Amino acid sequence: MTTIAAPMASRPRRAPLSPPLVYGAAAIAFLLVLWFAATAIPGVVSNKVLPSPFDVVERFATLAADTFSGSTLFGHAAASLTRWLIGVTVAVGLGVPLGVLLAWLPPLRPAVTPVFELFRYIPPFAWVPIAVLWYGASTTTQAMIVFIAAFPACVINTQLGVAQVDSILLRAAKTLGAGAATTLSRVVLPVAAPAIFTGIRIAFSNGWMALVGAELVVGKQGLGFLISQGQINDSVSTILVGMITIGALGALIDVVLQRVQRLLLPWKSATTRPVA
Amino acid sequence: MTTTKAHGPTAKMDIRGVSKTFDTRAGAVHALDRCDLAIREGEFVVVVGPSGCGKSTLMMIAAGLEAPSTGQILVDGKPAGPAGPQRTVVFQRFALFPSETVAQNIAFGLRVAGVDRAERARRVTEQLEFMRLSQFRDAYPHELSGGMQQRVAIARALVVRPEILLMDEPFGALDAQTRTVLQEEVARLSREMNYTVMFITHSVEEAVYLGDRVVVMSSRPGRIKKEIAIPRDAGWRRLDIEEASSEPGFIELKREIWALIRTEIVRQ
């Protein structure tokens, strides 16, 4: 888009840190100080209840290097990420097409919606017992829980996004000679893409949270399993390492997805400044 | 009620006995009543009428985007069939594809038609130049003003070389200054390229300035009430709209057409 770039002096300069980034870092630093203060000042919180940040960092190093409950920290994280990835891939792969179909073929809706709504209100954890009976304490079981947690957000947001595409665009495509397939791939899906991405984002985080929950109950590996082992071994610092890893990985997944979205939808993130 | 001069084999597009009734919850709404309108090749026909008279509905039927309750649309004497690049439409709300750049929007119809890459690039570039859009070829629609967006929409509709161009109040969503510029642009375009155009507006001035023939519709149910030929060789043809609209002949036509519409508004 060279033709519309603002005429700026092209002096190479280091980008200044954006204020949101500075504020975010400051808030996290503040929390850490508060945490440290609570553990350092005698008589506020016992180390047995809440270890200091340094204890947790130390524990993190140990868990990263040594095996605990079958794996290192990375082994547990990799196990969780694998199950999560399988579950969300299937959820997106089935959920997005189903959402498109529901929006594109209205007669399907009265048939599918009641079934879908019924299943949607069964919490993912309610599926754990039956999943265990079907698949045992396996990756399939965990991935199935992820799938169940992630699937509805994909379907609902895709359906909404596709249904909200302005019908005048469909008419324009028709008068230019486009058939249904071209209209779907070149007009409807790109326009609905932000909504679909929103669905995927929700699906990713729902899936991640449900997975950790399921791992607390069943399985011999994973971050949820790690924190449940921390509880059994009476090690609060292990639990905290697990919790922080779960939170950080979840946030990382979200950041990556937002980057991907910006890459795939340049017309959405482009400047809204009119140039003519 | 109307005697269309262009009936017969010479008509490019022939709207024959078109009526339209919509079923609504409040009952049947009779929108159009036996409309006949023949448009000759190279003719610029402007349809005016009070709001709600069904002129947009008539155009959507002409485009093949809506089915008439009775009657038919002929192009070159043959039933026109479903919507397609034979009759492209410029909509009031631009209807550009937001995820595509200006050049991609313009190339849309050519790609659908399977025009090869080199030929496509050539025609898009030519069209960009013709509509004075070259410097915006890689911009996205939301980065453009309304006037620029509508230029893109016109380019997108013209590049496929339609038999007839349908324009549905194309300048209705633009500010007054932009509208004036685009009116003059479209006048230039039809002079230079001799397109066959059906154009809908509620601006009488626009109708007189652009049209070879102005068709006045009655209030609902819409009928063709009267057709007024605008002389091609009128002295103000080559003036800009500001100057043209103060010429005596222009004022006379404007007054005549406006009187017809006023009667219809009062009758409603």
Side-chain angles (χ1 to χ4, degrees):
Chain A
M1 286 200 297
T2 47
T3 51
I4 57 155
M8 279 202 309
S10 56
R11 191 185 314 146
R13 199 196 300 164
R14 196 143 43 98
L17 283 173
S18 65
L21 220 60
V22 174
Y23 293 153
I28 289 173
F30 179 71
L31 270 179
L32 283 172
V33 169
L34 214 62
W35 176 11
F36 177 72
T39 54
I41 302 166
V44 181
V45 201
S46 125
N47 252 31
K48 195 90 181 67
V49 176
L50 183 69
S52 85
F54 298 108
D55 296 337
V56 173
V57 171
E58 204 187 316
R59 185 68 189 144
F60 182 90
T62 314
L63 286 172
D66 304 335
T67 300
F68 174 80
S69 295
S71 308
T72 62
L73 178 63
F74 300 118
H76 287 296
S80 290
L81 282 171
T82 307
R83 298 158 177 168
W84 171 81
L85 197 62
I86 295 169
V88 294
T89 303
V90 178
V92 172
L94 293 179
V96 171
L98 179 62
V100 172
L101 276 179
L102 286 177
W104 203 241
L105 303 171
L108 267 183
R109 239 171 285 163
V112 175
T113 307
V115 179
F116 185 71
E117 288 295 304
L118 176 70
F119 276 87
R120 194 156 77 90
Y121 285 99
I122 301 173
F125 301 134
W127 290 87
V128 170
I130 202 169
V132 170
L133 286 180
W134 285 349
Y135 304 114
S138 65
T139 299
T140 313
T141 296
Q142 309 284 15
M144 178 176 148
I145 304 305
V146 172
F147 168 81
I148 285 161
F151 185 65
C154 292
V155 179
I156 294 164
N157 285 283
T158 303
Q159 185 189 334
L160 279 178
V162 171
Q164 279 168 0
V165 174
D166 194 339
S167 64
I168 201 169
L169 296 179
L170 308 181
R171 297 183 142 209
K174 211 182 222 175
T175 63
L176 291 165
T182 311
T183 306
L184 188 66
S185 66
R186 286 200 54 202
V187 180
V188 174
L189 289 181
V191 173
I196 297 174
F197 259 101
T198 302
I200 294 175
R201 233 178 123 183
I202 298 170
F204 277 17
S205 77
N206 283 357
W208 186 241
M209 289 191 279
L211 170 68
V212 173
E215 285 175 343
L216 285 173
V217 189
V218 58
K220 290 272 172 283
Q221 217 188 3
L223 293 168
F225 175 70
L226 176 75
I227 59 180
S228 72
Q229 290 299 300
Q231 182 203 340
I232 288 163
N233 291 287
D234 206 13
S235 167
V236 177
S237 56
T238 303
I239 295 175
L240 286 174
V241 168
M243 286 172 67
I244 291 167
T245 309
I246 289 162
L249 282 177
L252 187 69
I253 287 168
D254 201 55
V255 169
V256 169
L257 189 66
Q258 286 190 61
R259 283 282 155 86
V260 171
Q261 173 170 7
R262 239 170 285 160
L263 265 172
L264 290 180
L265 311 177
W267 54 279
K268 258 293 165 191
S269 50
T271 163
T272 51
R273 176 178 54 95
V275 294
Chain B
M1 154 183 328
T2 25
T3 43
T4 311
K5 290 157 287 179
H7 255 307
T10 54
K12 186 77 203 170
M13 182 162 86
D14 201 351
I15 297 171
R16 278 207 190 151
V18 165
S19 301
K20 180 74 180 179
T21 306
F22 290 106
D23 290 319
T24 70
R25 260 197 291 182
V29 173
H30 200 29
L32 292 173
D33 186 31
R34 286 161 294 159
C35 291
D36 288 305
L37 177 63
I39 299 171
R40 285 185 300 269
E41 173 134 36
E43 194 181 22
F44 198 121
V45 172
V46 183
V47 179
V48 293
S51 43
C53 72
K55 51 192 192 291
S56 276
T57 305
L58 184 64
M59 176 159 281
M60 289 304 113
I61 292 170
L65 288 168
E66 261 178 57
S69 302
T70 64
Q72 61 176 340
I73 307 293
L74 304 176
V75 173
D76 290 327
K78 292 187 280 288
Q86 174 197 50
R87 295 158 286 158
T88 52
V89 181
V90 175
F91 297 90
Q92 182 177 2
R93 286 190 295 132
F94 321 139
L96 296 178
F97 306 126
S99 61
E100 307 204 330
T101 63
V102 167
Q104 288 167 336
N105 262 283
I106 296 173
F108 188 95
L110 299 175
R111 270 185 62 171
V112 170
V115 174
D116 72 66
R117 184 183 286 268
E119 168 73 358
R120 212 159 66 208
R122 196 186 63 71
R123 275 165 74 175
V124 167
T125 304
E126 181 188 276
Q127 200 66 47
L128 282 164
E129 275 164 22
F130 186 61
M131 289 307 292
R132 297 168 188 168
L133 285 164
S134 297
Q135 65 179 122
F136 302 107
R137 68 173 300 144
D138 295 321
Y140 286 99
H142 76 270
E143 297 173 310
L144 302 176
S145 67
M148 279 297 158
Q149 291 192 46
Q150 197 57 299
R151 274 168 197 267
V152 177
I154 294 170
R156 184 179 67 178
L158 287 179
V159 78
V160 296
R161 296 178 186 151
E163 298 285 338
I164 180 161
L165 178 65
L166 306 172
M167 303 181 88
D168 187 10
E169 297 199 36
F171 310 141
L174 303 175
D175 66 81
Q177 289 166 12
T178 309
R179 189 182 311 143
T180 304
V181 172
L182 272 171
Q183 282 164 343
E184 287 163 11
E185 194 91 344
V186 165
R188 168 182 77 93
L189 209 126
S190 77
R191 256 201 323 272
E192 287 176 14
M193 309 300 285
N194 205 35
Y195 289 111
T196 310
V197 183
M198 178 177 172
F199 189 106
I200 296 217
T201 182
H202 54 251
S203 158
V204 175
E205 194 171 83
E206 188 168 275
V208 175
Y209 185 66
L210 293 174
D212 297 321
R213 185 153 50 110
V214 176
V215 174
V216 181
M217 286 183 71
S218 69
S219 54
R220 192 188 292 161
R223 290 189 195 89
I224 307 292
K225 184 185 162 92
K226 179 127 194 202
E227 299 185 13
I228 291 135
I230 312 288
R232 272 225 156 172
D233 51 0
W236 37 262
R237 275 285 185 195
R238 274 156 203 283
L239 301 176
D240 61 44
I241 192 164
E242 199 61 40
E243 293 168 27
S245 60
S246 54
E247 292 286 309
F250 192 102
I251 295 172
E252 186 52 45
L253 282 164
K254 198 173 140 181
R255 191 175 288 144
E256 182 187 349
I257 294 165
W258 178 233
L260 289 165
I261 298 174
R262 188 197 300 274
T263 331
E264 287 306 316
I265 296 173
V266 172
R267 210 169 60 82
Q268 262 177 326

Short mmCIF file of all heavy atoms in Angstrom, two decimals, chain B residues 151-177:
data_model
loop_
_atom_site.label_atom_id
_atom_site.label_comp_id
_atom_site.label_asym_id
_atom_site.label_seq_id
_atom_site.Cartn_x
_atom_site.Cartn_y
_atom_site.Cartn_z
N ARG B 151 -16.76 5.60 -7.33
CA ARG B 151 -15.99 5.48 -8.57
C ARG B 151 -15.52 4.05 -8.77
O ARG B 151 -15.56 3.52 -9.89
CB ARG B 151 -14.73 6.34 -8.50
CG ARG B 151 -14.90 7.76 -8.91
CD ARG B 151 -13.64 8.52 -8.50
NE ARG B 151 -13.90 9.94 -8.50
CZ ARG B 151 -13.66 10.71 -9.55
NH1 ARG B 151 -13.12 10.21 -10.63
NH2 ARG B 151 -13.97 11.99 -9.50
N VAL B 152 -15.07 3.43 -7.68
CA VAL B 152 -14.61 2.04 -7.77
C VAL B 152 -15.77 1.14 -8.19
O VAL B 152 -15.63 0.28 -9.05
CB VAL B 152 -14.02 1.55 -6.43
CG1 VAL B 152 -13.61 0.09 -6.52
CG2 VAL B 152 -12.84 2.42 -6.02
N ALA B 153 -16.94 1.39 -7.58
CA ALA B 153 -18.11 0.57 -7.90
C ALA B 153 -18.49 0.72 -9.37
O ALA B 153 -18.86 -0.26 -10.03
CB ALA B 153 -19.28 0.94 -7.00
N ILE B 154 -18.39 1.95 -9.88
CA ILE B 154 -18.71 2.17 -11.30
C ILE B 154 -17.68 1.44 -12.18
O ILE B 154 -18.03 0.75 -13.14
CB ILE B 154 -18.75 3.68 -11.62
CG1 ILE B 154 -19.92 4.34 -10.88
CG2 ILE B 154 -18.89 3.91 -13.12
CD1 ILE B 154 -19.91 5.87 -10.91
N ALA B 155 -16.41 1.55 -11.79
CA ALA B 155 -15.36 0.87 -12.56
C ALA B 155 -15.58 -0.64 -12.55
O ALA B 155 -15.45 -1.31 -13.58
CB ALA B 155 -14.00 1.21 -11.97
N ARG B 156 -15.94 -1.17 -11.38
CA ARG B 156 -16.17 -2.61 -11.24
C ARG B 156 -17.32 -3.07 -12.14
O ARG B 156 -17.30 -4.18 -12.68
CB ARG B 156 -16.49 -2.92 -9.77
CG ARG B 156 -16.65 -4.38 -9.46
CD ARG B 156 -16.94 -4.62 -8.00
NE ARG B 156 -18.25 -4.10 -7.60
CZ ARG B 156 -18.75 -4.23 -6.37
NH1 ARG B 156 -18.06 -4.85 -5.44
NH2 ARG B 156 -19.93 -3.74 -6.08
N ALA B 157 -18.35 -2.20 -12.26
CA ALA B 157 -19.51 -2.56 -13.07
C ALA B 157 -19.20 -2.43 -14.57
O ALA B 157 -19.76 -3.16 -15.38
CB ALA B 157 -20.70 -1.68 -12.70
N LEU B 158 -18.32 -1.48 -14.93
CA LEU B 158 -18.06 -1.23 -16.35
C LEU B 158 -17.03 -2.17 -16.95
O LEU B 158 -17.08 -2.48 -18.14
CB LEU B 158 -17.58 0.22 -16.55
CG LEU B 158 -18.63 1.30 -16.40
CD1 LEU B 158 -17.99 2.66 -16.60
CD2 LEU B 158 -19.76 1.09 -17.41
N VAL B 159 -16.10 -2.64 -16.11
CA VAL B 159 -14.96 -3.38 -16.64
C VAL B 159 -15.38 -4.69 -17.29
O VAL B 159 -14.70 -5.20 -18.18
CB VAL B 159 -13.90 -3.61 -15.52
CG1 VAL B 159 -14.32 -4.73 -14.59
CG2 VAL B 159 -12.54 -3.87 -16.11
N VAL B 160 -16.53 -5.23 -16.89
CA VAL B 160 -17.00 -6.48 -17.50
C VAL B 160 -17.75 -6.24 -18.80
O VAL B 160 -18.27 -7.18 -19.41
CB VAL B 160 -17.90 -7.29 -16.52
CG1 VAL B 160 -17.11 -7.74 -15.30
CG2 VAL B 160 -19.11 -6.49 -16.08
N ARG B 161 -17.80 -4.97 -19.23
CA ARG B 161 -18.47 -4.59 -20.48
C ARG B 161 -19.91 -5.10 -20.53
O ARG B 161 -20.26 -5.93 -21.38
CB ARG B 161 -17.68 -5.11 -21.68
CG ARG B 161 -16.30 -4.47 -21.75
CD ARG B 161 -15.50 -5.01 -22.90
NE ARG B 161 -14.14 -4.47 -22.85
CZ ARG B 161 -13.07 -5.10 -23.33
NH1 ARG B 161 -13.19 -6.28 -23.87
NH2 ARG B 161 -11.88 -4.54 -23.25
N PRO B 162 -20.74 -4.59 -19.64
CA PRO B 162 -22.14 -5.05 -19.62
C PRO B 162 -22.89 -4.52 -20.84
O PRO B 162 -22.50 -3.52 -21.42
CB PRO B 162 -22.68 -4.41 -18.34
CG PRO B 162 -21.85 -3.18 -18.15
CD PRO B 162 -20.48 -3.55 -18.65
N GLU B 163 -23.96 -5.22 -21.18
CA GLU B 163 -24.84 -4.71 -22.23
C GLU B 163 -25.52 -3.44 -21.77
O GLU B 163 -25.78 -2.53 -22.55
CB GLU B 163 -25.92 -5.77 -22.55
CG GLU B 163 -25.39 -7.09 -23.08
CD GLU B 163 -24.94 -6.97 -24.52
OE1 GLU B 163 -25.39 -6.05 -25.21
OE2 GLU B 163 -24.11 -7.81 -24.94
N ILE B 164 -25.85 -3.45 -20.46
CA ILE B 164 -26.53 -2.28 -19.91
C ILE B 164 -26.07 -2.06 -18.47
O ILE B 164 -25.89 -3.01 -17.72
CB ILE B 164 -28.08 -2.43 -20.02
CG1 ILE B 164 -28.78 -1.22 -19.43
CG2 ILE B 164 -28.57 -3.71 -19.36
CD1 ILE B 164 -30.21 -1.09 -19.90
N LEU B 165 -25.88 -0.81 -18.14
CA LEU B 165 -25.44 -0.45 -16.79
C LEU B 165 -26.65 0.07 -16.02
O LEU B 165 -27.34 0.98 -16.49
CB LEU B 165 -24.35 0.63 -16.86
CG LEU B 165 -23.81 1.14 -15.53
CD1 LEU B 165 -23.08 0.04 -14.77
CD2 LEU B 165 -22.88 2.34 -15.75
N LEU B 166 -26.89 -0.52 -14.85
CA LEU B 166 -28.02 -0.10 -14.03
C LEU B 166 -27.49 0.67 -12.83
O LEU B 166 -26.64 0.17 -12.10
CB LEU B 166 -28.81 -1.33 -13.57
CG LEU B 166 -29.28 -2.27 -14.68
CD1 LEU B 166 -29.87 -3.54 -14.10
CD2 LEU B 166 -30.30 -1.57 -15.58
N MET B 167 -27.96 1.89 -12.64
CA MET B 167 -27.46 2.71 -11.54
C MET B 167 -28.61 3.11 -10.64
O MET B 167 -29.52 3.82 -11.05
CB MET B 167 -26.73 3.94 -12.09
CG MET B 167 -25.59 3.57 -13.04
SD MET B 167 -24.68 5.01 -13.67
CE MET B 167 -23.45 5.22 -12.39
N ASP B 168 -28.57 2.60 -9.39
CA ASP B 168 -29.68 2.78 -8.46
C ASP B 168 -29.37 3.90 -7.48
O ASP B 168 -28.73 3.67 -6.46
CB ASP B 168 -29.93 1.45 -7.72
CG ASP B 168 -31.17 1.51 -6.85
OD1 ASP B 168 -31.94 2.49 -6.97
OD2 ASP B 168 -31.36 0.59 -6.05
N GLU B 169 -29.81 5.09 -7.78
CA GLU B 169 -29.52 6.28 -6.97
C GLU B 169 -28.05 6.30 -6.55
O GLU B 169 -27.74 6.39 -5.36
CB GLU B 169 -30.43 6.32 -5.72
CG GLU B 169 -31.90 6.44 -6.08
CD GLU B 169 -32.74 6.95 -4.91
OE1 GLU B 169 -32.25 7.79 -4.13
OE2 GLU B 169 -33.89 6.49 -4.78
N PRO B 170 -27.16 6.26 -7.51
CA PRO B 170 -25.75 6.06 -7.17
C PRO B 170 -25.12 7.20 -6.37
O PRO B 170 -24.13 7.00 -5.70
CB PRO B 170 -25.07 5.92 -8.53
CG PRO B 170 -25.97 6.62 -9.48
CD PRO B 170 -27.35 6.40 -8.97
N PHE B 171 -25.72 8.39 -6.48
CA PHE B 171 -25.10 9.52 -5.78
C PHE B 171 -25.90 9.95 -4.56
O PHE B 171 -25.61 10.97 -3.95
CB PHE B 171 -24.92 10.71 -6.74
CG PHE B 171 -24.26 10.32 -8.04
CD1 PHE B 171 -24.67 10.85 -9.24
CD2 PHE B 171 -23.24 9.37 -8.04
CE1 PHE B 171 -24.07 10.47 -10.43
CE2 PHE B 171 -22.63 8.98 -9.23
CZ PHE B 171 -23.05 9.53 -10.43
N GLY B 172 -26.90 9.14 -4.20
CA GLY B 172 -27.79 9.49 -3.10
C GLY B 172 -27.10 9.55 -1.75
O GLY B 172 -27.54 10.24 -0.84
N ALA B 173 -25.98 8.80 -1.61
CA ALA B 173 -25.33 8.75 -0.30
C ALA B 173 -24.11 9.67 -0.25
O ALA B 173 -23.32 9.60 0.68
CB ALA B 173 -24.90 7.30 0.00
N LEU B 174 -23.98 10.54 -1.25
CA LEU B 174 -22.78 11.39 -1.30
C LEU B 174 -23.11 12.83 -0.92
O LEU B 174 -24.24 13.29 -1.07
CB LEU B 174 -22.18 11.36 -2.71
CG LEU B 174 -21.82 9.97 -3.25
CD1 LEU B 174 -21.35 10.08 -4.69
CD2 LEU B 174 -20.76 9.32 -2.39
N ASP B 175 -22.08 13.55 -0.46
CA ASP B 175 -22.30 14.97 -0.15
C ASP B 175 -22.43 15.75 -1.46
O ASP B 175 -22.07 15.29 -2.53
CB ASP B 175 -21.15 15.50 0.70
CG ASP B 175 -19.85 15.51 -0.05
OD1 ASP B 175 -19.62 16.46 -0.83
OD2 ASP B 175 -19.07 14.55 0.11
N ALA B 176 -22.95 16.98 -1.36
CA ALA B 176 -23.34 17.75 -2.54
C ALA B 176 -22.18 18.00 -3.49
O ALA B 176 -22.32 17.85 -4.71
CB ALA B 176 -23.98 19.07 -2.12
N GLN B 177 -21.02 18.31 -2.94
CA GLN B 177 -19.88 18.63 -3.82
C GLN B 177 -19.41 17.40 -4.57
O GLN B 177 -19.20 17.43 -5.79
CB GLN B 177 -18.73 19.20 -2.99
CG GLN B 177 -19.04 20.58 -2.46
CD GLN B 177 -18.06 21.01 -1.37
OE1 GLN B 177 -17.04 20.38 -1.16
NE2 GLN B 177 -18.41 22.08 -0.68
#
